[in-house]
Amino acid sequence: MTSFILRVAAAVALLGAGLVHADLYLHGYRALAVIGPAFLLQAAASLALAVLLPCTDLLLLRLAAAGAAGGALVGFVLSRTVGLFGFTESGLQPAPEALLSVIAEFAVLALLTADVLYRKRLNR
């Protein structure tokens, strides 16, 4: 039962991250070449994975969810350091969306890691 709860919690966090990306896409980012479509793809993937994650215990699905969250975090860091496809931002702008997204994506990674470790401990 704990694995299911961890997957549901990760799905909720992934849903939150996806909604933030969708909101940013709708409110300005869609006008940005490459970045706009990337935000739309990130939102769609996050929302789809959030729906599927509680439904199955497939490792591949958990890896895909972790990849979506981790990929978004990598994009966030790149956009604030070297730039990403010519796009740069600074700090936690736009506020509060940047911070909410980062928190949600770290939560996804932490919850999915906890799930894998929990399942590994059960299989000993």
Coordinates of all heavy atoms in Angstrom, one line a residue, residues 36-82:
G36 N 8.4 27.6 -26.3 CA 6.9 27.5 -26.2 C 6.5 26.1 -26.5 O 5.8 25.5 -25.6
P37 N 6.8 25.5 -27.6 CA 6.4 24.1 -27.8 C 7.0 23.1 -26.8 O 6.4 22.1 -26.4 CB 7.0 23.7 -29.2 CG 7.0 25.1 -29.9 CD 7.4 26.1 -28.8
A38 N 8.2 23.4 -26.3 CA 8.8 22.6 -25.2 C 7.9 22.6 -23.9 O 7.7 21.6 -23.3 CB 10.2 23.0 -24.9
F39 N 7.4 23.8 -23.6 CA 6.6 23.9 -22.4 C 5.3 23.2 -22.6 O 4.8 22.6 -21.7 CB 6.3 25.4 -22.1 CG 7.3 26.0 -21.1 CD1 8.6 26.2 -21.4 CD2 6.8 26.3 -19.8 CE1 9.5 26.7 -20.5 CE2 7.7 26.9 -18.9 CZ 9.1 27.1 -19.3
L40 N 4.7 23.3 -23.8 CA 3.5 22.5 -24.1 C 3.7 21.0 -24.0 O 2.9 20.3 -23.4 CB 3.0 22.9 -25.5 CG 1.6 22.3 -25.9 CD1 0.5 22.7 -24.9 CD2 1.3 22.7 -27.3
L41 N 4.8 20.5 -24.6 CA 5.2 19.1 -24.5 C 5.4 18.7 -23.1 O 4.9 17.6 -22.7 CB 6.4 18.8 -25.4 CG 6.9 17.4 -25.4 CD1 5.8 16.5 -26.0 CD2 8.1 17.3 -26.2
Q42 N 6.1 19.5 -22.3 CA 6.3 19.2 -20.9 C 5.0 19.1 -20.1 O 4.8 18.2 -19.3 CB 7.3 20.3 -20.3 CG 7.5 20.1 -18.8 CD 8.4 18.8 -18.5 OE1 9.2 18.5 -19.4 NE2 8.2 18.2 -17.4
A43 N 4.1 20.0 -20.4 CA 2.8 20.0 -19.7 C 2.0 18.8 -20.1 O 1.5 18.1 -19.2 CB 2.0 21.3 -20.1
A44 N 2.0 18.5 -21.4 CA 1.2 17.3 -21.8 C 1.8 16.0 -21.2 O 1.0 15.2 -20.8 CB 1.2 17.3 -23.3
A45 N 3.1 15.9 -21.3 CA 3.7 14.7 -20.8 C 3.5 14.5 -19.3 O 3.2 13.4 -18.8 CB 5.2 14.7 -21.1
S46 N 3.7 15.6 -18.6 CA 3.5 15.6 -17.1 C 2.1 15.2 -16.7 O 1.9 14.4 -15.8 CB 3.9 16.9 -16.5 OG 5.3 17.2 -16.7
L47 N 1.1 15.8 -17.4 CA -0.3 15.5 -17.1 C -0.6 14.1 -17.5 O -1.3 13.4 -16.7 CB -1.2 16.5 -17.9 CG -1.0 18.0 -17.5 CD1 -1.8 18.9 -18.3 CD2 -1.3 18.2 -16.0
A48 N -0.2 13.6 -18.6 CA -0.4 12.2 -19.0 C 0.2 11.2 -18.0 O -0.4 10.3 -17.5 CB 0.1 11.9 -20.4
L49 N 1.5 11.5 -17.6 CA 2.1 10.6 -16.7 C 1.5 10.7 -15.3 O 1.4 9.6 -14.6 CB 3.6 10.9 -16.6 CG 4.4 10.6 -17.8 CD1 5.8 11.3 -17.8 CD2 4.6 9.0 -17.9
A50 N 1.0 11.8 -14.9 CA 0.4 12.0 -13.6 C -0.9 11.1 -13.5 O -1.3 10.6 -12.5 CB 0.0 13.4 -13.3
V51 N -1.6 11.0 -14.7 CA -2.8 10.2 -14.7 C -2.5 8.7 -14.6 O -3.1 7.9 -14.0 CB -3.7 10.5 -16.0 CG1 -4.8 9.5 -16.2 CG2 -4.2 11.9 -15.9
L52 N -1.4 8.3 -15.3 CA -1.1 6.9 -15.4 C -0.3 6.4 -14.2 O -0.4 5.2 -13.9 CB -0.2 6.7 -16.7 CG -1.0 6.9 -18.0 CD1 0.0 6.8 -19.2 CD2 -2.1 5.9 -18.2
L53 N 0.5 7.2 -13.6 CA 1.4 6.8 -12.5 C 0.7 6.0 -11.4 O 1.2 4.9 -11.0 CB 2.1 8.0 -11.9 CG 3.4 7.7 -11.1 CD1 4.4 6.9 -11.9 CD2 4.0 9.0 -10.7
P54 N -0.5 6.4 -10.9 CA -1.1 5.6 -9.8 C -1.7 4.3 -10.3 O -2.0 3.4 -9.5 CB -2.2 6.5 -9.3 CG -1.9 7.9 -9.8 CD -1.1 7.7 -11.1
C55 N -1.9 4.2 -11.6 CA -2.7 3.0 -12.2 C -1.8 1.8 -12.3 O -2.4 0.7 -12.5 CB -3.2 3.4 -13.6 SG -4.4 4.8 -13.5
T56 N -0.5 1.9 -12.3 CA 0.3 0.7 -12.5 C 1.6 0.9 -11.7 O 2.0 2.0 -11.4 CB 0.6 0.5 -14.0 OG1 1.5 -0.7 -14.1 CG2 1.3 1.7 -14.6
D57 N 2.3 -0.2 -11.4 CA 3.5 -0.2 -10.7 C 4.7 -0.5 -11.7 O 5.8 -0.8 -11.2 CB 3.5 -1.1 -9.5 CG 3.4 -2.6 -9.9 OD1 3.2 -2.8 -11.1 OD2 3.7 -3.4 -9.1
L58 N 4.5 -0.2 -13.0 CA 5.6 -0.4 -13.9 C 6.8 0.5 -13.6 O 6.6 1.7 -13.5 CB 5.1 -0.2 -15.4 CG 4.2 -1.2 -16.0 CD1 3.7 -0.7 -17.3 CD2 4.8 -2.5 -16.1
L59 N 8.0 -0.1 -13.6 CA 9.2 0.7 -13.4 C 9.4 1.7 -14.5 O 9.8 2.8 -14.3 CB 10.4 -0.2 -13.2 CG 11.7 0.5 -13.0 CD1 11.7 1.3 -11.8 CD2 12.8 -0.5 -13.0
L60 N 9.1 1.3 -15.7 CA 9.3 2.2 -16.9 C 8.5 3.5 -16.7 O 8.9 4.5 -17.1 CB 8.9 1.4 -18.2 CG 9.1 2.2 -19.5 CD1 10.6 2.6 -19.6 CD2 8.7 1.3 -20.6
L61 N 7.3 3.4 -16.2 CA 6.4 4.5 -16.0 C 7.0 5.5 -15.0 O 7.0 6.7 -15.1 CB 5.0 4.1 -15.7 CG 3.9 5.2 -15.8 CD1 3.9 5.8 -17.2 CD2 2.6 4.6 -15.4
R62 N 7.5 4.9 -13.9 CA 8.2 5.7 -12.8 C 9.4 6.4 -13.4 O 9.7 7.5 -13.1 CB 8.5 4.9 -11.6 CG 7.2 4.4 -10.9 CD 7.5 3.9 -9.5 NE 8.4 2.8 -9.4 CZ 8.1 1.5 -9.6 NH1 6.8 1.2 -9.9 NH2 9.0 0.5 -9.5
L63 N 10.2 5.7 -14.2 CA 11.3 6.3 -14.9 C 11.0 7.4 -15.8 O 11.6 8.4 -15.9 CB 12.1 5.2 -15.6 CG 12.9 4.2 -14.8 CD1 13.5 3.1 -15.6 CD2 13.9 4.8 -13.9
A64 N 9.9 7.2 -16.6 CA 9.4 8.3 -17.4 C 9.0 9.5 -16.7 O 9.3 10.7 -17.0 CB 8.2 7.8 -18.3
A65 N 8.3 9.3 -15.5 CA 7.9 10.4 -14.7 C 9.1 11.1 -14.1 O 9.2 12.4 -14.1 CB 7.0 9.9 -13.6
A66 N 10.1 10.4 -13.7 CA 11.3 11.0 -13.1 C 12.1 11.7 -14.2 O 12.6 12.8 -14.0 CB 12.2 9.9 -12.5
G67 N 12.0 11.2 -15.4 CA 12.7 11.8 -16.6 C 12.0 13.1 -16.9 O 12.7 14.1 -17.2
A68 N 10.7 13.2 -16.8 CA 10.0 14.4 -17.1 C 10.3 15.5 -16.1 O 10.6 16.6 -16.4 CB 8.5 14.2 -17.1
A69 N 10.3 15.1 -14.8 CA 10.6 16.0 -13.8 C 12.1 16.5 -13.8 O 12.4 17.7 -13.7 CB 10.3 15.4 -12.4
G70 N 13.0 15.5 -14.0 CA 14.4 15.8 -14.1 C 14.8 16.6 -15.3 O 15.6 17.6 -15.2
G71 N 14.1 16.3 -16.4 CA 14.4 17.1 -17.6 C 13.9 18.6 -17.5 O 14.6 19.5 -18.0
A72 N 12.8 18.8 -16.8 CA 12.3 20.1 -16.6 C 13.3 20.9 -15.7 O 13.6 22.1 -15.9 CB 11.0 20.1 -15.9
L73 N 13.9 20.2 -14.7 CA 14.9 20.8 -13.8 C 16.1 21.2 -14.5 O 16.7 22.2 -14.3 CB 15.2 19.9 -12.6 CG 14.1 19.8 -11.5 CD1 14.4 18.7 -10.5 CD2 13.9 21.2 -10.8
V74 N 16.6 20.3 -15.4 CA 17.7 20.6 -16.2 C 17.5 21.8 -17.1 O 18.3 22.7 -17.2 CB 18.2 19.3 -17.1 CG1 19.2 19.7 -18.1 CG2 18.7 18.2 -16.2
G75 N 16.3 21.8 -17.7 CA 16.0 23.0 -18.6 C 15.9 24.3 -17.7 O 16.4 25.3 -18.2
F76 N 15.4 24.2 -16.5 CA 15.4 25.3 -15.6 C 16.8 25.9 -15.3 O 17.1 27.1 -15.5 CB 14.7 25.0 -14.3 CG 14.6 26.1 -13.3 CD1 13.5 27.0 -13.4 CD2 15.5 26.2 -12.3 CE1 13.4 28.0 -12.5 CE2 15.4 27.3 -11.4 CZ 14.4 28.2 -11.5
V77 N 17.7 24.9 -15.0 CA 19.1 25.3 -14.7 C 19.7 25.9 -15.9 O 20.4 27.0 -15.9 CB 19.9 24.1 -14.1 CG1 21.4 24.4 -14.1 CG2 19.3 23.7 -12.8
L78 N 19.6 25.3 -17.1 CA 20.2 25.8 -18.3 C 19.7 27.2 -18.7 O 20.5 28.0 -19.1 CB 20.0 24.8 -19.5 CG 20.7 23.5 -19.4 CD1 20.3 22.6 -20.5 CD2 22.2 23.7 -19.4
S79 N 18.4 27.4 -18.5 CA 17.8 28.7 -18.8 C 18.3 29.8 -17.9 O 18.2 31.0 -18.2 CB 16.3 28.6 -18.8 OG 15.8 28.6 -17.5
R80 N 18.9 29.5 -16.8 CA 19.4 30.5 -15.9 C 20.9 30.5 -15.8 O 21.5 31.3 -15.1 CB 18.8 30.2 -14.5 CG 17.4 30.7 -14.3 CD 16.5 29.8 -13.6 NE 15.2 30.4 -13.5 CZ 14.2 30.3 -14.5 NH1 14.5 29.6 -15.5 NH2 13.1 30.8 -14.3
T81 N 21.5 29.7 -16.6 CA 23.0 29.7 -16.7 C 23.5 30.1 -18.1 O 23.7 31.2 -18.4 CB 23.6 28.4 -16.1 OG1 23.0 27.3 -16.9 CG2 23.3 28.2 -14.7
V82 N 23.6 29.0 -18.9 CA 24.1 29.2 -20.3 C 23.1 29.6 -21.3 O 23.4 29.9 -22.4 CB 24.9 28.0 -20.7 CG1 26.1 27.7 -19.8 CG2 24.0 26.8 -20.8

